[in-house]
Amino acid sequence: MSTVSPARRPLPRGRWFSEIGWRHLVGVLAVLYAGFPLVYVVSASLADVGTLTGSNDLFGTVSGANYAALGGTRFWTWMGNTLVVAVATGAGTVLMGAAAAYAFSRFRFSGRRVGLTALLIIQMFPQMLAFVAIFLLLISLGNVVPVLGLDSKLSLICVYLGGALGVNTFLMYGFFNTVPREIDEAAKIDGASHAQIYWTIVLRLTAPILAVVGLLSFISTFGEFIIARVLLQSEENWTLAVGLYGWVSSLQEANWGLFTAGAVVSAVPVLALFLFLQKYIVGGLTAGSVKG
Amino acid sequence: MSSPATRGSGRTGWSPGFLVKLVLIALVDALGVYAVLAAWSADSWGVLAAMVALLLVANWAYFTKRALPLKYILPGLAFLLVYQVYVVAYTGYVAFTNYGDGHNSTKEQAIEALLVQNERRVEGSPSSPLTVVSDGGALGFAVVSPDGEVRAGTAERPLEPVPDAVVDGGQVTALPGYDVLEYAAVLERQQEVTDLRVPVSDDPADGSIRTQDARTGYVFTSTLTYDPASDTMTDTTTGVTYEPNDDGQFEAADGTILPVGWRVLVGFDNFVTAFGDDRYAGPFVQILLWTFAFAVISVASTFLLGLFLAIAFNDVRLRGRRVYRTLVILPYAIPGFLAALLWSGLLNRSYGFVNEVLLGGAQIPWLTDPVLAKLAVLGVNLWLGFPYMFLICTGALQSLPTDVLEAAKIDGAGRWRTWRSITLPLLLVATAPLLISSFAFNFNNFTLIYMLTGGGPRFDDASVPLGHTDILISMVYSVSGLDGTAAKDYGLASALSIVIFVVVATISALAFRRTRSLEEIA
């Protein structure tokens, strides 16, 4: 604790600690707590042994063997599946949610209030609770159109998109309401159609919330497990959550090196995206706490 | 008021926007018509009706000028109706049935399955020369009847005469529409061939053709017969008659039950099982209590730690607070399933980092002792959850009105008094809705439980696949049998889903009402 206080007048040592010094102490402890599992996973992924037993010596050995070994597994297939599903779901969620939020925010139509209330109630029933019914629904859809049945990435995306309105419409609706209607009206007088207003004006002005919703949807889809596990049955269709779970649960000892390397590779894009967009995410989270 | 109808996008005739719309709708219609035809041929009337309705509404919405809002809501609404509203309603329906292993299908399918399963070779039945053929990927048989007629079929298609077949020495050598399998190919798929049954006709009572050696076929018929008039099943070898009972099974007078049943409505039986059956009631109450404890403690512990850190870092004089903040929120950016799997390794009894390095080789059974496993689950969830709370508390602290705090200072309130009477209430108003949704999230935090402990350690009672750290949602998963470790019971699983929904919805509704009154005070 030799840090010099940044205050203009140096505080006496005792007061410095009671006002600022303890914050550093807390900060260091918190960073250790938050960070040690992450340091461990990086170290274990770089160890030249692939087992849990040999991974406890932090950075004792450094080799890329575990990363190279990922190439011999289906890891990259799973990574590709996860990215396809998460990107498609994120994009679809933004498009559908924004369109619905625009309608609720800009038009006054019969059933509007009922619609908003219904959405609020529906979102209380998380889709994951209905996984049995989803499973049964996809069996019958699969009898008709196989690509919408079980074990298909497209049908997994469709299921996730089923939740697109419930969770996000309110977040977007609140934000859309903050964009002044006068802008729409001015454009309308200038002869713009509602579609032009929507695509060229409203969506641009609401870009920050669209980014937040898209990102949150991407991240939650990336880590979704139960529905993916129930739906995706053949190994080449699995997502990372399903595949990595299989590695750890079946042979934890033997697969530990593979798992840690896979964990680092799959966490890095999410982590980078998160740190890059941190400002917007924090804004989005706090905006969600203000009820519309 | 509603936007003028004259401003529909089709207003200017063949504008580029209209063309785009036309192409998109044409595409949707084409796919829709394909699905309708497919549903027609698969006899899926429910799917067919839903598809037709969706197509009609879509075409109406995008070509009328009187449904402007619907144009924007429809895409999301269609998915919402199919994949959320319908499945929730269907969950409600399944909760009142005995859908599950042994009751998987309709009554007609169950009867057919029973007839098939009880097939025996008819004593002294004639044998006929047989050739293994394939139709695309599906295996089939071609048999030559005594008068020289060749008939062929597959498991899906009953035997039917095939004209123009080439027969050589009792064996079919060429068959229009089918490929004749070579001897080597038959050997390769021997198991499939001996398992294959080709129905003699559409009527299951006629039996089917089977073979042992891929050269000679025998007629097998069922030892059971179904009489549609009296709706009974009779065993022709013993003469016992089975009648349908209320549970969707055929039952004899002495109580014996045929193994395949069908699904029927069973009323509140599943709910009674959850609360009253000895095998489930005990674990259910324990799991319910633990679910509440887990959700409440998780919210409280993450909130308190997050709040404490937010306060600690909320001082402009603190050097490097941006660095602290960024490092502290790292766990939030790690996908939850990775974190849970990682911690399951860290907490491993013999080789885990926590026991081996931090505790100097202590073999503490973090994940296999009932009490420690619960602590471990809470601890890992604290690690996962506090950054989120830290973020929202930081946001809320920074948006506190400074004038109120100054007024308190002027009135002579101390640090503690200001904190307790002003800061905390204002903070709670801002964060309460998020705490409620965090509660709802943790109430259903399946991924963490399933990946960290798998619900274990198991309860001593081995008749149900449940354990000490199972929460309701992971109980639903185990009970449903979809993970393959237990018999499937969709009815009971759906009933439990409904119970969870009622609990979460009630608590959310109550809590939201309370926060509204908090807001009015503030």
Side-chain angles (χ1 to χ4, degrees), chain B residues 174-421:
Chain B
L175 195 63
Y178 294 87
D179 296 321
V180 175
L181 254 66
E182 298 294 330
Y183 186 62
V186 173
L187 277 184
E188 227 168 74
R189 303 172 72 173
Q190 204 167 18
Q191 190 59 44
E192 266 182 89
V193 171
T194 46
D195 287 344
L196 182 67
R197 55 178 297 279
V198 176
V200 171
S201 73
D202 282 329
D203 182 3
D206 285 348
S208 61
I209 301 283
R210 296 194 192 190
T211 183
Q212 245 83 61
D213 57 2
R215 305 188 72 83
T216 321
Y218 299 97
V219 176
F220 280 53
T221 54
S222 183
T223 55
L224 290 171
T225 54
Y226 176 69
D227 178 14
S230 62
D231 194 21
T232 54
M233 205 57 122
T234 310
D235 190 326
T236 49
T237 52
T238 60
V240 178
T241 305
Y242 298 85
E243 284 182 8
N245 64 11
D246 288 344
D247 290 333
Q249 289 160 318
F250 283 108
E251 189 177 341
D254 63 354
T256 35
I257 286 167
L258 292 178
V260 182
W262 57 96
R263 53 176 192 267
V264 289
L265 284 172
V266 292
F268 285 91
D269 279 9
N270 290 317
F271 295 91
V272 173
T273 305
F275 291 101
D277 185 311
D278 285 340
R279 284 173 309 147
Y280 289 102
F284 180 69
V285 172
Q286 250 179 302
I287 287 172
L288 185 71
L289 291 177
W290 160 239
T291 309
F292 272 104
F294 168 70
V296 170
I297 298 174
S298 289
V299 174
S301 62
T302 53
F303 180 69
L304 289 178
L305 183 58
L307 180 59
F308 175 66
L309 291 177
I311 295 166
F313 298 155
N314 193 34
D315 190 317
V316 283
R317 295 169 299 175
L318 182 70
R319 245 193 212 184
R321 61 186 187 137
R322 272 183 59 92
V323 178
Y324 284 135
R325 277 188 178 154
T326 308
L327 289 177
V328 159
I329 60 169
L330 283 183
Y332 182 54
I334 306 290
F337 76 93
L338 286 179
L341 291 176
L342 173 61
W343 276 96
S344 77
L346 286 171
L347 292 172
N348 182 288
R349 176 177 185 154
S350 317
Y351 314 112
F353 188 78
V354 171
N355 277 338
E356 180 109 326
V357 179
L358 297 184
L359 301 175
Q363 300 228 338
I364 300 171
W366 290 111
L367 301 175
T368 45
D369 176 79
V371 178
L372 286 176
K374 287 182 178 175
L375 284 179
V377 165
L378 288 170
V380 171
N381 208 22
L382 178 63
W383 184 81
L384 265 171
F386 83 88
Y388 171 75
M389 294 295 183
F390 169 75
L391 280 177
I392 60 174
C393 287
T394 302
L397 277 179
Q398 284 169 351
S399 60
L400 282 186
T402 46
D403 48 348
V404 187
L405 297 176
E406 267 165 38
K409 207 173 199 173
I410 291 165
D411 285 348
R415 253 208 273 182
W416 172 244
R417 180 66 204 228
T418 318
W419 163 247
R420 232 196 64 72
S421 305

Side-chain angles (χ1 to χ4, degrees), chain A residues 191-203:
Chain A
S193 70
H194 67 87
Q196 280 171 323
I197 294 173
Y198 174 68
W199 289 103
T200 60
I201 299 176
V202 176
L203 282 194

